[in-house]
Amino acid sequence: MSSYGFDHRCTYCPEDNKLRFYPDWDDPDFDKEHLKSVGYRWASKQECYVCPRWTPKAEDAALDYVADVGDEDYSPEERAADRAERFSGYRDKRRSEAHGHADTFDAGPSAFGYQSQAKAERAASRHDRHRVKSVSQWSKAEYWQRRTTGVIENALYRSSAKVRRGRLVRLEAEQRKHLKHLEEATERYDGWCKVAEMDGAGELMPLDESGHVDRSRMNAAHVLAYKLANLGWLHFWHPTRDDLNEECKRIHNGTVHGFTAWDLLTQTRYSVTQDFTRLTPAELAALIVENLTDPREEGTSWQRWSRHYELRTGYENAMLANEGGMAGDVEMEVGGTVGRYVIHRVNKSRASGRVTSVSVLGDAYHNGEGPAPKTLVKLELERFGQDVYSPPTDESKAKLEAEKAILKAQDSKGSKKPKLINPTLEDAQRLTALMNSLAQAQYQAHRGTFGEYKPIEPREMTQATYSANAKGSYSSLMTRNMKSTGEWKGYHDSGEIVCKLRAAYPGNNWTGTPYRLVVITDKPQKPLPLDWEAVEQWYDERIAEVKEKAAARV
Amino acid sequence: MRESQHAGRLRLRHLRESTEAIGEDMAQEAKRFHDLAREDRAPKAVSAFNLFQTPSEVAARMVEQLGSVDGPILEPSAGLGRLYRAIREQHSNPVTLVEVASQCCAELYRELESDRAATLLQRDFLECELGKFSGIVMNPPFKMGRDVKHIKHAIEHLAPGGKLVALCFNGSRQNKQLRPLASSWEVLPAGSFKSEGTRVDVVLMTYEKGLK
């Protein structure tokens, strides 16, 4: 398909990450469908095919026609200016048409009189078309005015340094993700290479009577192959059973690309009528190694993506160096200032090591009564330049101390924060029993006789287990506030908070199930600071209330 | 690329300035189109018995033939006021318009609202006694010889020394009854009323009181 004799041209623009292909229409071998199949689209105003995002496939498709991909000389800003000029041309045309029609309408009479009513109506209607047309054209002129403004503002915004900073942060995140995936792919490839050479890889995966994998009889090659087969979505056609391949294509109508590695290792039947010929780990490894390339090999898609990310981040960094750099790259200190705010804490990204935000004194969320209490709020710095930061001065340090004093005074004046308590197992069980009784009543009130409530129990674990599983926003372990009524603090209720307890998701299928109490076994335990009589009375009242409401509903 | 970016930014800033200026102009102009968008701005369709309005060129010629007038002017069978508009282009004298069709009167009333020297009467002209006028300009209904009756009735309203300019059908009855009275009798070219949907033969006649 090579057409190097013709004047095709392909460019890459690092600003918008687009590939542009300027075809030479004299080339009889040029196949636009070939470009379209990898994402290129014809841009009539630019008179070229544009691929909205660089990919190795898109680049390869262009390289079928050109020797190399050049640099784009025409910037997105100039393209936007062209576009804005084009739109303003549309606007001016519509505007003058609107005025022309309006002038014609105004020059005519306000009434058309004839002996015949039909004729009068026809004449009035004919003249009214000028009015309708002028209003319509004016509406279009306003539309193109909005579009012109939009194009200009959008282009100026996108060419600002803050957008480049945001883009760089996103690019670096994508690059890290890519490198992580590359590492995993390399491990998988090495793993399959290792499986091919392991002893026992020539034996089929052991299965039990019901057809499931029998882990007790697995050898080392089976264990590794089974683990690798569960990673990634590798699809291969069966090397010896063409009938199965045809059947698979027929059933899925071309939407799948073969059997998964796991299928090839463990399946005994394909459908009700057809059996499945399994592969040994060695056969599967040979198939995979034959079909895949080493991700470390130069020229693979993996390496091209790595190179692409390096070039893009390099380009963005070079451009940013002339546009004020990134605030995150500056070594910030507590006591320094960002604008008019004094820094109380510097927050860095664990991934990039860059400063992402600083904590400064600000207003806390409150109910609007009286002055807002002060708290530390985060100022995101990802889109700021280096000049936003000023090192600490005597004045800023004094301000920092003053602000700290405000926070301290506020803390001592306000209600004390509840203490974290590790309850005794007896207390935890007693409270859980009460929670279960209320939840049981609520379950019956809501769901009647459908299913039954599964009671919860306190969870016992060591501090190490708790710490390991309580990290992150989506962990199943957390600390929650406990009210004097023996109920967890919710979002919308009020009540005196007496302590903070470790809690776990109930792991139940009913949403009304309360959180489970967690008891740390290797730490000192304390009785819960609850008035048990009052707590039992509160639960009894709630249960009676729930039952009463349920009865009233029936 | 850097030069192109710089040039692009300059162009965009310049365009922003011009677009903002045009936006301000358009905000001023928008009122006109918002007003035009109102449904009540649509032109009205009016029909009345034997309503064939005087074409603007003929109306201008009639007022020209009327010449200078000292006193009030009468326009019987005013229709939608084409003759009135032609009169107002040359005369500021008081004008009395008579029209029997209510739809026409409604339109005329809207137009005459700002003219304090104009009087509109919704009546059958043949039954009116309006006093004397220095000038009369008229395009009466032609059907069944009504133009003869109207013109004769109008002549009665002419003050001594006054002048009447009228259109009438070029028929045998008109030639017999009106031509002897006329100071001038000019047959208009065929198709003069084509724009009004009729190819009737029309005569532009004048009558000056005191000369005959």
Side-chain angles (χ1 to χ4, degrees):
Chain A
M1 203 182 277
S2 175
S3 310
Y4 294 162
F6 290 92
D7 193 22
H8 296 295
R9 198 161 59 86
C10 181
T11 61
Y12 171 71
C13 179
E15 279 293 321
D16 55 10
N17 191 31
K18 289 186 198 309
L19 283 163
R20 288 184 175 81
F21 187 86
Y22 300 87
D24 179 356
W25 295 109
D26 293 338
D27 182 358
D29 292 335
F30 174 65
D31 179 14
K32 63 182 182 183
E33 297 303 327
H34 178 54
L35 291 182
K36 281 182 167 183
S37 66
V38 289
Y40 285 86
R41 290 291 176 269
W42 177 248
S44 57
K45 303 295 177 190
Q46 299 179 45
E47 294 185 339
C48 65
Y49 285 96
V50 178
C51 185
R53 180 172 176 256
W54 180 93
T55 60
K57 273 187 184 175
E59 192 180 51
D60 286 345
L63 287 173
D64 286 340
Y65 297 103
V66 295
D68 59 348
V69 176
D71 292 334
E72 179 63 49
D73 296 328
Y74 209 58
S75 65
E77 285 84 353
E78 288 230 75
R79 277 184 212 287
D82 288 348
R83 200 156 181 250
E85 277 172 2
R86 201 166 65 242
F87 287 179
S88 60
Y90 300 157
R91 174 202 61 205
D92 294 343
K93 188 166 184 281
R94 303 291 173 231
R95 189 179 167 206
S96 67
E97 282 171 359
H99 278 294
H101 284 293
D103 290 344
T104 311
F105 179 78
D106 287 343
S110 62
F112 285 80
Y114 287 94
Q115 179 173 251
S116 156
Q117 178 68 20
K119 191 161 190 165
E121 280 174 5
R122 271 203 303 279
S125 163
R126 196 179 305 124
H127 187 63
D128 193 38
R129 275 182 223 150
H130 290 291
R131 182 184 70 90
V132 172
K133 195 79 178 165
S134 78
V135 172
S136 162
Q137 298 304 77
W138 180 255
S139 159
K140 288 171 190 167
E142 285 184 328
Y143 167 78
W144 286 116
Q145 168 70 1
R146 286 196 297 275
R147 289 290 305 271
T148 311
T149 313
V151 166
I152 294 167
E153 295 302 330
N154 181 257
L156 286 171
Y157 169 73
R158 287 185 71 85
S159 71
S160 64
K162 64 179 178 180
V163 172
R164 194 183 294 286
R165 290 184 194 110
R167 189 159 62 225
L168 180 59
V169 169
R170 182 178 53 76
L171 261 178
E172 286 177 347
E174 278 179 22
Q175 189 180 25
R176 284 195 295 274
K177 193 175 175 184
H178 166 73
L179 291 175
K180 188 182 160 201
H181 288 170
L182 173 60
E183 196 182 325
E184 287 169 3
T186 311
E187 276 176 21
R188 274 203 302 276
Y189 183 81
D190 289 348
W192 284 113
C193 289
K194 193 177 166 189
V195 167
E197 293 165 1
M198 284 173 83
D199 294 336
E203 295 167 20
L204 284 171
M205 187 72 75
L207 302 178
D208 61 16
E209 287 170 358
S210 57
H212 297 123
V213 174
D214 187 351
R215 288 169 188 269
S216 61
R217 290 192 287 132
M218 278 182 175
N219 61 31
H222 289 146
V223 171
L224 183 56
Y226 191 70
K227 183 186 164 193
L228 292 170
N230 273 319
L231 299 174
W233 287 92
L234 299 174
H235 286 78
F236 302 98
W237 294 116
H238 200 290
T240 55
R241 292 284 303 274
D242 284 343
D243 59 326
L244 281 178
N245 295 341
E246 291 306 316
E247 182 67 2
C248 180
K249 283 175 196 168
R250 188 186 67 75
I251 289 172
H252 296 288
N253 200 18
T255 54
V256 296
H257 310 292
F259 302 99
T260 62
W262 190 87
D263 284 337
L264 291 165
L265 267 185
T266 62
Q267 290 290 77
T268 54
R269 294 201 74 78
Y270 178 62
S271 62
V272 178
T273 53
Q274 283 182 298
D275 63 337
F276 194 90
T277 309
R278 288 191 291 146
L279 302 184
T280 63
E283 287 169 341
L284 181 60
L287 184 68
I288 289 173
V289 172
E290 184 191 332
N291 282 288
L292 292 186
T293 49
D294 186 349
R296 286 159 297 202
E297 215 170 272
E298 201 56 44
T300 55
S301 181
W302 288 104
Q303 294 302 323
R304 287 171 72 185
W305 272 112
S306 301
R307 179 81 184 131
H308 176 69
Y309 281 124
E310 278 169 25
L311 289 173
R312 280 201 76 190
T313 50
Y315 173 82
E316 299 293 358
N317 274 318
M319 295 296 280
L320 267 183
N322 296 318
E323 294 174 7
M326 289 186 79
D329 291 335
V330 182
E331 274 303 319
M332 296 192 184
E333 288 178 47
V334 172
T337 52
V338 170
R340 61 192 169 92
Y341 297 103
V342 183
I343 300 172
H344 284 246
R345 195 188 302 148
V346 180
N347 308 309
K348 289 187 175 180
S349 159
R350 270 185 288 181
S352 64
R354 189 181 280 148
V355 177
T356 53
S357 63
V358 288
S359 299
V360 298
L361 190 74
D363 288 350
Y365 180 79
H366 77 305
N367 59 7
E369 291 173 9
K374 297 293 177 188
T375 187
L376 288 184
V377 294
K378 276 185 181 176
L379 267 186
E380 298 291 339
L381 295 181
E382 280 179 346
R383 293 193 162 205
F384 284 95
Q386 291 183 350
D387 56 349
V388 75
Y389 172 73
S390 304
T393 59
D394 291 342
E395 194 186 343
S396 68
K397 282 178 185 168
K399 194 178 174 189
L400 176 68
E401 291 308 318
E403 288 182 358
K404 277 183 178 173
I406 291 172
L407 286 173
K408 198 172 177 184
Q410 193 174 277
D411 282 353
S412 58
K413 195 163 60 178
S415 60
K416 282 187 179 175
K417 283 181 183 172
K419 280 187 178 176
L420 180 65
I421 288 179
N422 181 29
T424 60
L425 184 61
E426 294 75 36
D427 276 6
Q429 283 170 338
R430 190 175 176 185
L431 187 57
T432 304
L434 288 170
M435 287 175 171
N436 276 332
S437 58
L438 178 58
Q440 171 81 41
Q442 285 170 335
Y443 184 91
Q444 280 180 353
H446 281 96
R447 304 191 64 180
T449 55
F450 292 101
E452 57 182 33
Y453 173 72
K454 294 175 189 165
I456 52 164
E457 285 178 7
R459 277 185 72 175
E460 290 180 273
M461 62 179 73
T462 61
Q463 178 63 54
T465 313
Y466 179 85
S467 301
N469 291 291
K471 285 175 186 167
S473 306
Y474 300 101
S475 61
S476 59
L477 299 172
M478 71 216 81
T479 56
R480 292 182 69 83
N481 290 327
M482 173 57 64
K483 295 198 295 184
S484 57
T485 52
E487 194 193 25
W488 292 114
K489 174 85 172 77
Y491 289 106
H492 305 296
D493 53 3
S494 57
E496 193 193 346
I497 296 166
V498 288
C499 64
K500 196 184 263 188
L501 297 174
R502 294 179 184 86
Y505 274 120
N508 203 334
N509 61 354
W510 185 52
T511 49
T513 314
Y515 285 89
R516 294 167 72 178
L517 278 87
V518 173
V519 178
I520 304 293
T521 50
D522 56 350
K523 273 204 152 183
Q525 297 173 350
K526 281 184 185 174
L528 284 171
L530 296 174
D531 177 359
W532 285 105
E533 275 185 25
V535 169
E536 280 166 2
Q537 190 186 341
W538 187 87
Y539 269 96
D540 288 345
E541 282 170 9
R542 293 291 83 72
I543 291 165
E545 215 171 81
V546 168
K547 285 181 177 170
E548 199 177 304
K549 275 186 186 173
R553 205 160 50 232
V554 169
Chain B
M1 176 62 80
R2 201 180 285 276
E3 290 77 28
S4 176
Q5 278 182 311
H6 184 64
R9 276 189 207 124
L10 281 178
R11 276 177 69 196
L12 284 167
R13 288 198 186 105
H14 176 70
L15 275 168
R16 178 156 69 178
E17 279 173 22
S18 60
T19 307
E20 278 173 1
I22 289 171
E24 282 169 20
D25 291 347
M26 285 178 72
Q28 302 285 327
E29 292 163 13
K31 194 174 174 300
R32 180 188 192 189
F33 296 95
H34 292 166
D35 183 49
L36 276 177
R38 285 183 2 235
E39 280 302 312
D40 61 352
R41 284 297 312 273
K44 307 279 182 306
V46 177
S47 61
F49 173 74
N50 223 209
L51 176 62
F52 293 98
Q53 295 190 82
T54 319
S56 304
E57 311 83 58
V58 177
R61 255 192 86 197
M62 288 171 76
V63 175
E64 199 182 313
Q65 293 228 357
L66 182 67
S68 61
V69 179
D70 295 334
I73 301 171
L74 173 68
E75 191 205 337
S77 307
L80 290 171
R82 287 245 182 108
L83 280 171
Y84 161 76
R85 280 192 284 279
I87 292 166
R88 270 289 167 258
E89 278 179 18
Q90 294 188 24
H91 299 283
S92 56
N93 306 37
V95 179
T96 300
L97 296 96
V98 182
E99 174 57 53
V100 68
S102 59
Q103 279 185 307
C104 292
C105 281
E107 289 303 313
L108 279 174
Y109 180 76
R110 208 168 291 141
E111 189 164 347
L112 301 180
E113 255 182 330
S114 56
D115 187 354
R116 298 183 73 88
T119 309
L120 173 65
L121 301 169
Q122 189 189 349
R123 298 195 191 150
D124 181 355
F125 175 64
L126 294 177
E127 294 171 8
C128 282
E129 288 303 329
L130 302 166
K132 300 295 180 188
F133 293 88
S134 302
I136 298 175
V137 187
M138 62 191 295
N139 174 14
F142 292 2
K143 209 163 195 176
M144 296 168 71
R146 277 182 173 78
D147 49 351
V148 177
K149 289 180 193 166
H150 275 248
I151 290 169
K152 281 185 174 175
H153 187 65
I155 286 171
E156 290 171 14
H157 288 81
L158 208 55
K163 190 173 183 181
L164 174 142
V165 183
L167 296 173
C168 66
F169 179 50
N170 187 17
S172 57
R173 197 185 309 178
Q174 287 77 3
N175 272 285
K176 193 176 171 187
Q177 296 189 29
L178 295 177
R179 195 165 185 171
L181 301 175
S183 307
S184 67
W185 185 267
E186 183 193 348
V187 180
L188 293 179
S192 296
F193 272 65
K194 193 183 167 191
S195 62
E196 302 307 310
T198 176
R199 298 187 70 84
V200 67
D201 287 334
V202 182
V203 170
L204 170 59
M205 64 161 284
T206 59
Y207 171 84
E208 289 174 32
K209 198 151 191 172
L211 293 177
K212 279 219 172 182

